[in-house]
Amino acid sequence: MSEYGIFGPLVGSIDEGTSSARFIIFKANSSEVVTSHQKELTQHFPQEGWVEQDPYDILEVVTTCIHKAVENLVELGGKPEDIIAVGVTNQRETTIVWDKDTGRPLHNAIVWLDMRTSSTIEKLLDTVPNKTRNKNYLKPLCGLPLSPYFSAVKLRWLSDNVNAVKNAMKNGTCLFGTVDTWIIWNLTGGANGGKHITDVTNASRTMLMNIENLEWDPLLLKFFEVPKSVLPAIKSSSEIYGYISDGPLAGKPISGCLGDQQAALVGQMCLQKGQAKATYGTGCFVLYNTGDIRVNSSRGLLTTVAYQLGSKNPPYYALEGSVAIAGAALGWLRDNLGLLENAKDSQGLAETATENGSVVFVPAFSGLYAPYWRQDARGVICGITEDTNSNHIIKAALEAVCYQVRDILDAMNEDCGIPLQLLKVDGGMTSNNMVMQMQADLVGINVIKAGFTESTALGAALVAYWGVDSTTQVAPIPMMNGTTYYPQISDDERDMRYKQWKMAVDRSLGWDQN
């Protein structure tokens, strides 16, 4: 260890989320954080249901976080030279197109939860053979249903509606990527030799990758009318992709990449078949590790790549259920209705809500994701009486997250035939003890909160470390003990409350007739 400074070898993790980005420096192959820096990201809403970010802003925030975290490291007595690898994890499905000669974006990034592509979906459904309009038509190839959520649909919208993109595709100068691809291309040189790559987990969210052979699929490219020239090379989640070209980490390898939910699965040490985790952020995402077996869901879940640890190793797969609106519902209560000043106040306010009102809130602001996949759903609040006050609605917003996780876990149990014994959880909302207790109550199994909050960044750091040190045995690292929440209500009460939720979901369907 003598060649390294006081902290030993280190690994940097770029964690680029929807609302902020961070750079976290870990001790290599451990969950111990040495230092970090975080910065917020701006979102733009040009029209109702449209969500965009400036690709330059994403890049500027990431590079600022790297610079500041490295400055912190030096102040602590560490050395930038001790960073032996850098990993990337990112918000998935968000779509960026740029010019390969100038490096300039051809349009703002279209963020994963953007709904503008609903009209594109309608057009694409019309092209499904035999006029079946079957939204699962491509699922055997890519594991995903036709939905505004995925990158290929966003890319198709851009090529249909933005002349700069259309022309660049014709001229062969257009590059497409999810956020990982944009960051890695720029950090490794950009227009001067930057590496145009993505990893299997991010590629599996585009609807363009064949879920079996992990390559861009000619039938999928033809269906979406995407030229192969715009696409990055697909790599494993853990190998050296290229080297950072300048800044405080110049010459350091970027050697790990995972979409954020897959990174949380690795960071939570769900490396065995049958283990599952839920991450509570803007949305909520549940991933169930199915090992080297692809489970094709008949109940509205997605088949996705969990990780591939090196190009010579087989991929591991996961079943995934996604909830579009989790923490975002509290933001809506704060910004649109003024019911709370800060999302952190939600627990205290919800705890004052009396039990005699059973208000149910379905926050289907832009449709429902898994397991329903209904774009026509819209938000509803049911069960209001003259006793209902704002705190009941806040409590119902928190419960809605837990009910949606129950929807997904029920579907997973039915698809896999092996009921989950426990659920590992991470993300911002896990700091709300009331939500975690409600989650245990409403799913009827133990919920285990990580003793460590940075699961997503840790996942990226681990695959980056394994990517530069192939001698390392890929094994779970010791984790701090967290908190376990045990179910405290009867089966009858659980079933009665869940039945009310299902009634409310039925009432949310069919509102958007466009």
Side-chain angles (χ1 to χ4, degrees):
M1 295 290 270
S2 56
E3 61 185 296
Y4 296 107
I6 55 171
F7 298 114
L10 304 170
V11 177
S13 179
I14 296 167
D15 179 0
E16 193 288 325
T18 312
S19 51
S20 70
R22 290 158 323 159
F23 187 67
I24 301 182
I25 300 172
F26 291 89
K27 289 191 177 180
N29 210 32
S30 89
S31 62
E32 195 175 330
V33 174
V34 176
T35 187
S36 67
H37 188 79
Q38 179 168 359
K39 194 175 176 195
E40 298 240 318
L41 273 163
T42 306
Q43 296 188 44
H44 306 280
F45 307 96
Q47 293 184 32
E48 186 187 347
W50 292 30
V51 190
E52 296 182 357
Q53 289 177 327
D54 178 347
Y56 279 144
D57 184 37
I58 291 172
L59 197 60
E60 189 270 327
V61 166
V62 166
T63 50
T64 299
C65 290
I66 291 172
H67 279 263
K68 296 281 190 195
V70 170
E71 281 173 20
N72 297 348
L73 176 67
V74 172
E75 280 175 23
L76 292 168
K79 301 185 299 188
E81 301 84 72
D82 293 344
I83 296 174
I84 57 171
V86 174
V88 177
T89 180
N90 54 287
Q91 51 167 314
R92 304 169 309 166
E93 295 96 19
T94 295
T95 298
I96 304 177
V97 279
W98 66 96
D99 186 289
K100 70 177 178 188
D101 296 332
T102 64
R104 294 171 71 128
L106 300 166
H107 191 272
N108 269 350
I110 300 183
V111 177
W112 57 274
L113 44 70
D114 183 286
M115 287 296 290
R116 77 186 66 188
T117 50
S118 300
S119 54
T120 309
I121 291 288
E122 291 306 312
K123 266 198 273 187
L124 290 167
L125 284 170
D126 286 339
T127 67
V128 172
N130 305 325
K131 301 212 172 342
T132 59
R133 293 178 60 80
N134 175 12
K135 65 185 174 194
N136 292 320
Y137 168 61
L138 301 173
K139 216 173 171 192
L141 282 177
C142 62
L144 309 172
L146 265 170
S147 158
Y149 186 24
F150 303 110
S151 312
V153 187
K154 296 172 173 26
L155 184 56
R156 176 62 191 270
W157 185 92
L158 285 162
S159 68
D160 285 348
N161 293 283
V162 180
N163 284 332
V165 176
K166 207 179 298 180
N167 295 336
M169 278 187 177
K170 267 191 206 139
N171 303 336
T173 60
C174 179
L175 294 183
F176 152 79
T178 40
V179 175
D180 55 308
T181 303
W182 168 247
I183 290 171
I184 292 169
W185 187 79
N186 279 287
L187 290 183
T188 55
N192 301 313
K195 303 295 181 198
H196 189 219
I197 68 105
T198 189
D199 93 296
V200 286
T201 67
N202 280 292
S204 76
R205 314 297 296 182
T206 60
M207 294 200 81
L208 298 172
M209 187 186 83
N210 184 302
I211 195 77
E212 189 170 349
N213 66 21
L214 309 186
E215 292 174 2
W216 301 123
D217 189 283
L219 289 172
L220 294 170
L221 298 190
K222 189 176 174 191
F223 182 84
F224 289 103
E225 296 179 15
V226 170
K228 195 166 182 201
S229 62
V230 308
L231 300 173
I234 300 175
K235 302 283 189 182
S236 81
S237 312
S238 188
E239 61 180 274
I240 294 175
Y241 313 120
Y243 297 84
I244 295 175
S245 59
D246 59 14
L249 298 182
K252 300 296 181 187
I254 301 179
S255 54
C257 181
L258 289 164
D260 55 7
Q261 302 311 322
Q262 287 93 334
L265 190 78
V266 173
Q268 282 269 36
M269 297 293 130
C270 295
L271 301 173
Q272 301 290 318
K273 181 178 174 180
Q275 293 181 318
K277 71 88 204 173
T279 299
Y280 300 76
T282 307
C284 180
F285 300 86
V286 185
L287 266 73
Y288 180 107
N289 187 333
T290 60
D292 54 4
I293 297 162
R294 290 186 323 282
V295 175
N296 296 316
S297 173
S298 58
R299 292 173 176 80
L301 302 175
L302 312 177
T303 305
T304 199
V305 179
Y307 49 82
Q308 183 191 15
L309 302 178
S311 56
K312 293 185 173 64
N313 289 325
Y316 265 51
Y317 291 93
L319 273 179
E320 174 172 333
S322 355
V323 171
I325 304 293
L330 296 176
W332 179 79
L333 293 176
R334 179 194 65 207
D335 300 338
N336 293 33
L337 299 191
L339 297 191
L340 51 147
E341 281 182 24
N342 190 309
K344 290 188 173 72
D345 303 337
S346 60
Q347 179 172 341
L349 294 168
E351 281 170 345
T352 67
T354 50
E355 283 302 318
N356 60 0
S358 54
V359 177
V360 180
F361 177 13
V362 182
F365 300 148
S366 52
L368 286 168
Y369 285 4
Y372 306 100
W373 297 106
R374 291 287 294 264
Q375 287 162 236
D376 60 356
R378 287 298 176 266
V380 295
I381 300 175
C382 301
I384 294 173
T385 69
E386 61 190 10
D387 294 328
T388 301
N389 62 36
S390 59
N391 295 342
H392 289 104
I393 293 171
I394 293 165
K395 184 181 179 187
L398 298 175
E399 281 180 331
V401 180
C402 304
Y403 282 127
Q404 291 177 96
V405 170
R406 160 89 187 253
D407 284 337
I408 290 167
L409 292 180
D410 283 1
M412 284 179 175
N413 288 342
E414 288 172 24
D415 275 331
C416 296
I418 308 163
L420 203 60
Q421 300 303 310
L422 58 89
L423 179 67
K424 293 185 173 185
V425 297
D426 61 83
M429 286 184 91
T430 59
S431 62
N432 186 321
N433 290 318
M434 183 184 188
V435 172
M436 293 299 99
Q437 185 57 53
M438 289 195 297
Q439 189 67 82
D441 288 344
L442 293 173
V443 296
I445 57 175
N446 293 352
V447 169
I448 300 177
K449 179 168 89 173
F452 170 75
T453 53
E454 304 296 355
S455 305
T456 306
L458 175 61
L462 289 173
V463 292
Y465 178 66
W466 297 332
V468 291
D469 187 353
S470 53
T471 60
T472 314
Q473 201 56 40
V474 173
I477 58 171
M479 301 290 280
M480 288 180 284
N481 289 332
T483 312
T484 302
Y485 298 86
Y486 303 93
Q488 293 178 351
I489 62 174
S490 67
D491 289 348
D492 286 348
E493 186 185 344
R494 179 177 305 120
D495 293 343
M496 182 204 72
R497 287 168 65 182
Y498 188 56
K499 189 176 168 189
Q500 284 186 321
W501 164 256
K502 295 299 259 186
M503 286 163 58
V505 168
D506 284 344
R507 286 158 174 77
S508 78
L509 304 176
W511 280 98
D512 185 34
Q513 301 298 325
N514 296 324

